[in-house]
Amino acid sequence: MRDKVVQVLEIKMIDKRVNTFEEALQGIADSSTVLLGGFGQAGSPVELIEALIDQGATNLTVVSNNAGEGEFGLAALMKAGRIRKVICSYPRSSGSFIFEELYESGKIELEIVPQGTLSERMRAAGAGIGGFFTPTSAGTLLSQDKEVRQIDGKDYVFEKPLKADVALIKAHTADRWGNLTYNKSARNFGPAMAMAADLTIAQVQEITNLGEIDPEHVVTPGIFVNRVLEVKLEN
Amino acid sequence: MPLNRNQIAWRIAQEIEDGSYVNLGIGMPELVANYIPENREIIFHSENGILGMGPQPEKSEEDGDLINAGKKPVTLLTGGSYFNHTDSFAMVRGGHIDLCVLGAFQISKNGDLANWATLDNSKPPGVGGAMDLAVGAKNIFVMTEHCTKDGTPKIMEECSYPLTGQGVVNTIFTDLAVIDITSEGLKVREKINEISFMELQNKTGAPLIESDIKELSPPVL
């Protein structure tokens, strides 16, 4: 009798852990919109992004605060010619030469979104909100062609939710239910992106047993996460 | 002598009230943190998710997961906290940040700020968090040289570069003067002794108001 109960529990077990990059990235289609976590290198899922080159998806629209640096991670994916369009707040960082080359030769499209608007648009998508009015960008080039409404005497710009097919994020600790904690300022866009995508894949430093993350410390609840892959990195 | 950047930073730091939540823009404004008077507790916010940001660590203590908005390694003070971008910009837009210090390409007489793009379209633009900070912080101080390298005034009737925010600047701190943007116009609060009011006016692209101007005299830094 006892054995039977255990068996039933095992069948119903939720397990979001995957063991390989192939499993983690399975099913990402060409022309997808992909959210990439990170602010500069902090929180950037570099290993997942590089594995996406091998996975092969192309013609991607990528949402990322920055446009990559050096020739690794996002810059490597760009160099491989997989990205059609980048949506970001600040593409010009020192070392973003791959993006700049592609931009200047007209090989990549760029949409600039103010940083707070970028994260709020993803939060809205994840929260089922049909858009919002923000004072950010009122009276500037970035609100051209957008609805502007005066609310209590102040101008606000209508911004739509930014939904995506896939999110690749980096967190610190996960469990098999996909609960996540982050490390310091590497948290940045992770929680908003996890909410906004149909398929959220997190690379983490460590996967622990269920119950080992203090419930009070869970930052992204597992409901927003589909797959977790342990990628141990040296500090 | 016109102020050097450290001296402009020093002057701004004297103006920051005890207990303020402050965001310092990337680049020159970051210097302000070095000159906060002792006995004032100021909490620095970094838009990538830090409150209670501390100074740059020793090389051996650097942590790639603990950086500021300029992506340089920083530390966290005791009592500091981490949070995600959505919460961070709720603090910004929601009027919870007392003061933001930003750099500028141009400032207009009514407080319009241009600091994110020029008219050169060959390079990709980047706005970062500047537009959110410009509209959201309770006070905006601009830290800038009075003129560009070729002597063109940065303070003008109307900005010719794309705006970051409309009517957002409260006070401009330059290497020559401290100027408040008021409903009556650009009021010179302080200037260095070496130049006359007329000389300062000639270096400014919009009319200045002269009333009870004090000397701008920082220590040697």
Side-chain angles (χ1 to χ4, degrees):
Chain A
M1 190 61 195
R2 203 187 160 86
D3 284 349
K4 252 185 184 166
V5 172
V6 170
Q7 205 177 13
V8 170
L9 282 177
E10 277 173 359
I11 288 164
K12 289 195 167 176
M13 193 167 83
I14 293 171
D15 193 353
K16 298 184 178 179
R17 296 170 298 181
V18 293
N19 295 310
T20 65
F21 284 106
E22 292 74 25
E23 269 182 272
L25 301 176
Q26 197 188 4
I28 300 178
D30 289 353
S31 307
S32 294
T33 295
V34 183
L35 312 176
L36 301 180
F39 183 86
Q41 288 187 53
S44 173
V46 170
E47 290 71 21
L48 274 181
I49 297 169
E50 291 182 353
L52 192 56
I53 299 174
D54 300 329
Q55 191 269 356
T58 192
N59 198 36
L60 303 170
T61 295
V62 158
V63 181
S64 165
N65 187 62
N66 306 103
E69 52 192 297
E71 299 199 26
F72 60 93
L74 175 53
L77 188 66
M78 269 181 202
K79 197 180 178 189
R82 304 297 172 76
I83 302 177
R84 182 184 73 79
K85 179 180 178 180
V86 181
I87 300 174
C88 68
S89 87
Y90 200 81
R92 279 177 81 181
S93 307
S94 60
S96 61
F97 53 88
I98 299 231
F99 167 75
E100 288 185 35
E101 278 168 31
L102 291 169
Y103 178 82
E104 282 159 27
S105 58
K107 288 181 182 147
I108 200 161
E109 204 181 313
L110 172 68
E111 180 182 338
I112 293 285
V113 179
Q115 206 171 119
T117 301
L118 189 64
S119 64
E120 194 67 20
R121 285 181 62 193
M122 293 187 280
R123 198 203 74 88
I129 302 294
F132 56 92
F133 284 93
T134 175
T136 304
S137 90
T140 77
L141 282 180
L142 297 188
S143 62
Q144 277 183 334
D145 311 321
K146 287 181 180 163
E147 181 188 346
V148 176
R149 186 181 297 180
Q150 213 173 65
I151 302 170
D152 295 336
K154 186 168 160 183
D155 283 347
Y156 291 80
V157 179
F158 182 67
E159 295 283 355
K160 285 164 78 171
L162 179 53
K163 186 139 185 62
D165 302 299
V166 182
L168 304 184
I169 62 172
K170 182 179 175 183
H172 188 269
T173 306
D175 59 28
R176 72 172 167 84
W177 279 10
N179 294 310
L180 302 179
T181 69
Y182 299 82
N183 189 43
K184 306 188 178 83
S185 68
R187 182 183 308 189
N188 55 68
F189 287 93
M193 289 183 170
M195 298 170 79
D198 292 333
L199 173 63
T200 292
I201 304 156
Q203 77 169 66
V204 298
Q205 183 70 16
E206 187 185 12
I207 296 181
T208 62
N209 292 323
L210 211 55
E212 283 182 18
I213 301 175
D214 184 333
E216 297 286 0
H217 295 169
V218 171
V219 176
T220 295
I223 192 168
F224 297 126
V225 178
N226 301 92
R227 298 173 189 164
V228 294
L229 175 67
E230 190 174 89
V231 181
K232 281 232 186 276
L233 300 170
E234 304 236 340
N235 263 337
Chain B
M1 280 281 286
L3 276 54
N4 63 34
R5 291 180 166 197
N6 288 328
Q7 291 172 311
I8 309 176
W10 175 89
R11 179 61 193 85
I12 293 173
Q14 307 315 304
E15 196 90 357
I16 302 178
E17 285 175 33
D18 189 24
S20 298
Y21 289 91
V22 176
N23 183 296
L24 300 177
I26 296 167
M28 194 157 71
E30 292 175 40
L31 294 171
V32 172
N34 299 336
Y35 300 104
I36 300 296
E38 278 179 40
N39 308 324
R40 284 189 208 174
E41 194 164 45
I42 306 297
I43 297 182
F44 287 110
H45 169 265
S46 188
E47 58 264 37
N48 55 319
I50 308 171
L51 268 179
M53 181 172 60
Q56 206 173 327
E58 297 292 325
K59 200 88 185 149
S60 60
E61 299 291 306
E62 288 181 357
D63 179 343
D65 282 348
L66 182 44
I67 58 172
N68 66 10
K71 307 191 177 74
K72 293 199 265 294
V74 290
T75 47
L76 188 77
L77 300 182
T78 302
S81 56
Y82 302 116
F83 36 85
N84 72 61
H85 251 79
T86 310
D87 287 351
S88 185
F89 280 86
M91 295 173 196
V92 171
R93 282 186 316 260
H96 307 283
I97 304 292
D98 295 300
L99 170 67
C100 179
V101 183
L102 291 169
F105 297 149
Q106 297 174 335
I107 312 104
S108 81
K109 64 176 182 188
N110 66 343
D112 293 352
L113 172 67
N115 77 348
W116 73 284
T118 62
L119 303 173
D120 173 10
N121 288 326
S122 66
K123 293 276 178 196
V127 70
M131 285 191 184
D132 304 278
L133 288 161
V135 295
K138 285 185 206 160
N139 287 288
I140 298 288
F141 288 175
V142 162
M143 176 178 182
T144 180
E145 265 87 35
H146 205 87
C147 298
T148 64
K149 285 199 180 82
D150 68 6
T152 309
K154 287 183 148 199
I155 303 167
M156 47 218 295
E157 288 280 340
E158 270 184 55
C159 299
S160 59
Y161 289 166
L163 295 187
T164 307
Q166 273 183 321
V168 295
V169 178
N170 299 91
T171 305
I172 310 168
F173 295 82
T174 79
D175 51 340
L176 305 179
V178 177
I179 299 170
D180 289 315
I181 295 179
T182 72
S183 50
E184 297 134 68
L186 298 167
K187 221 171 228 175
V188 181
R189 199 200 314 170
E190 296 175 17
K191 69 167 184 61
I192 57 169
N193 263 350
E194 288 86 341
I195 62 168
S196 67
F197 179 79
M198 273 318 292
E199 284 170 319
L200 184 66
Q201 178 63 78
N202 289 339
K203 290 173 182 291
T204 308
L208 297 173
I209 299 170
E210 184 178 16
S211 72
D212 188 26
I213 300 174
K214 294 190 171 59
E215 184 188 354
L216 173 55
S217 62
V220 176
L221 294 169

